[in-house]
Amino acid sequence: MSAVLPGLQRAFSAGPSRASQRPIRARIDLAALVHNAGVARRLAGDTRIWAVIKADAYGHGLFPVAQALADAVDGFALLETETAVALRQAGHAHPVLLLEGFFSPEDLPAVHHYGLTPVIHTPAQLQMLAASPWRPAAAYIKFNTGMNRLGFRAVDLAAVRQQLLDLGVRELTLMSHFAEADTAVGIAAPLALFRQAQAMLELPCSLANSATLIRYPEARGDWARPGIMLYGSSPFAEIPACQLGLKPVMSLESRLIGIQSLEAGERVGYGGLFVAPAPLRIGVVACGYADGYPRQAPLGTPVAVAGCPSRVLGRVSMDMLMVDLSAAPAAQVGSPVTLWGEGAGGVVDVDAVAAAAGTISYELFCALAPRVPVTWQ
Ligand SMILES: *Cc1c(COP(=O)(O)O)cnc(C)c1O
């Protein structure tokens, strides 16, 4: 087994030894996480819930998140066998779903021994299983209903099921993942395809990510797989998270480390991208793209300073970004800044920051840099 556990570095390395006087911090609100799991639970009804905690729990810290969610969900879904084993060794007895299954025959002893549930999505995995004495008791069969990423086609499903049964893998679930649950296109066509196959195979099913769970009650299935909603973000571009009853979990906070008073016509930052139209006070924030803040964030990206709304000015640099202080006259060196979430600087919707930067909150969370100290509370 590898000594390096993917996705665990933050949980292992964040701690007093990494504390820094540089003022940037990420704060993880575990009560908000549990609240959001409650929202998912109410939507799910009798459907059981896999909490998706891949990618170090979307950058929020695998172990603290798993521990906080232990009583709020029915199982954990993630990617690496090694990470699943680490959860087991930390005492978690929950079902664990491996969303991409196993990658190599070397995964199989641990999959068997620790009772992990792999997703089977390609014939190569069936060959690995057939050649190994180590087989799981349970597996998910992935049906490609149109995403064309992972999964078998409808015509192959019955044979896959039979091969798994012949290999002694008896607890089977049919799963799919929708490409457009969060867009106007919706899930009608892939869901119809899925229901046809499911009726033929007579297997329990798992379909719903956050967007599907929220928008399509008819597709809750037997096990849902919410991820982003647990972390307090909206899966929909047009609906803010607060309207879905979700609370932000990660707050990225820092402070002003400098102030400049500009004359009209003076320029700000690399490339002089911003030109002051009039005399202007600006603040310099200890946060840059090496902390995980998106370099693509353009002029006007929302930020909050000393309780006042503000905006990013000029180009985000590696360690700093500049903000407009016209609406925050009391701001000075040391004033708190909230980059996203809820902090001493104010409240900033991470989805608004992501939209301004042309990305999604998932990417911002996952990109939080290892140099940012994290606290869980
Ligand atoms: C990541 C993932 C999810 C969770 O999706 P969200 O949009 O974060 O809710 C669910 N299912 C699969 C297969 C995934 O890869």
Side-chain angles (χ1 to χ4, degrees):
M1 206 84 23
S2 163
V4 177
L5 303 177
L8 302 183
Q9 284 86 349
R10 189 187 314 289
F12 281 141
S13 57
S17 62
R18 288 192 72 237
S20 144
Q21 292 306 315
R22 185 166 178 261
I24 193 163
R25 297 281 179 273
R27 209 167 31 78
I28 308 296
D29 182 345
L30 296 172
L33 178 76
V34 172
H35 166 89
N36 296 337
V39 174
R41 175 66 79 194
R42 277 192 296 284
L43 288 167
D46 293 335
T47 294
R48 279 173 288 173
I49 293 180
W50 296 109
V52 179
I53 57 170
K54 62 191 178 188
D56 198 25
Y58 291 46
H60 291 66
L62 178 83
F63 288 126
V65 164
Q67 191 173 342
L69 289 179
D71 295 330
V73 301
D74 302 293
F76 295 116
L78 44 75
L79 298 186
E80 309 86 359
T81 304
E82 294 84 353
T83 310
V85 170
L87 273 188
R88 285 278 182 269
Q89 288 172 344
H92 291 285
H94 293 70
V96 173
L97 180 65
L98 300 173
L99 287 166
E100 294 179 349
F102 45 87
F103 302 90
S104 133
E106 287 168 38
D107 283 320
L108 286 172
V111 169
H112 171 87
H113 183 73
Y114 291 100
L116 312 178
T117 303
V119 169
I120 307 294
H121 60 80
T122 172
Q125 290 173 316
L126 293 168
Q127 287 161 16
M128 288 186 235
L129 272 184
S132 171
W134 305 107
R135 312 230 172 96
Y140 271 40
I141 300 173
K142 189 145 192 181
F143 178 15
N144 172 13
T145 51
M147 167 86 92
N148 290 315
R149 201 172 60 174
L150 298 181
F152 298 98
R153 304 237 159 200
V155 291
D156 299 319
L157 291 174
V160 170
R161 181 190 57 174
Q162 194 54 49
Q163 283 181 66
L164 286 168
L165 291 173
D166 292 346
L167 291 167
V169 187
R170 303 207 183 282
E171 293 166 45
L172 299 177
T173 301
L174 188 65
M175 83 175 283
S176 196
H177 192 54
F178 298 126
E180 303 206 54
D182 59 333
T183 75
V185 173
I187 64 166
L191 182 61
L193 210 67
F194 188 92
R195 291 301 184 208
Q196 249 181 356
Q198 193 193 1
M200 171 189 77
L201 298 172
E202 296 182 320
L203 293 177
C205 73
S206 175
L207 291 161
N209 62 355
S210 300
T212 305
L213 182 60
I214 294 168
R215 192 165 270 176
Y216 300 104
E218 69 274 26
R220 282 174 198 156
D222 299 285
W223 283 82
R225 307 185 306 269
I228 196 67
M229 68 179 297
L230 302 177
Y231 308 102
S233 274
S234 172
F236 307 109
E238 70 287 4
I239 307 176
C242 60
Q243 262 182 47
L244 301 170
L246 302 172
K247 296 185 180 173
V249 177
M250 181 193 291
S251 296
L252 183 62
E253 301 177 73
S254 190
R255 292 184 183 276
L256 295 184
I257 59 168
I259 304 262
Q260 300 288 345
S261 293
L262 307 182
E263 310 282 350
E266 289 193 308
R267 309 197 301 167
V268 174
Y270 286 118
L273 279 196
F274 177 78
V275 183
L280 181 67
R281 234 176 129 240
I282 68 166
V284 182
V285 183
C287 175
Y289 61 78
D291 299 301
Y293 196 87
R295 183 173 176 277
Q296 292 71 21
L299 171 69
T301 301
V303 52
V305 183
C308 305
S310 177
R311 56 184 188 135
V312 171
L313 302 177
R315 180 161 279 159
V316 172
S317 47
M318 184 184 280
D319 310 311
M320 285 168 271
L321 57 84
M322 277 68 90
V323 295
D324 184 349
L325 296 183
S326 9
Q332 51 190 326
V333 168
S335 289
V337 177
T338 302
L339 286 314
W340 61 69
E342 295 181 2
V347 177
V348 179
D349 182 357
V350 66
D351 291 316
V353 176
T359 183
I360 51 177
S361 61
Y362 301 66
E363 189 181 19
L364 298 186
F365 292 150
C366 293
L368 184 71
R371 80 177 190 187
V372 177
V374 182
T375 57
W376 291 270
Q377 49 192 232

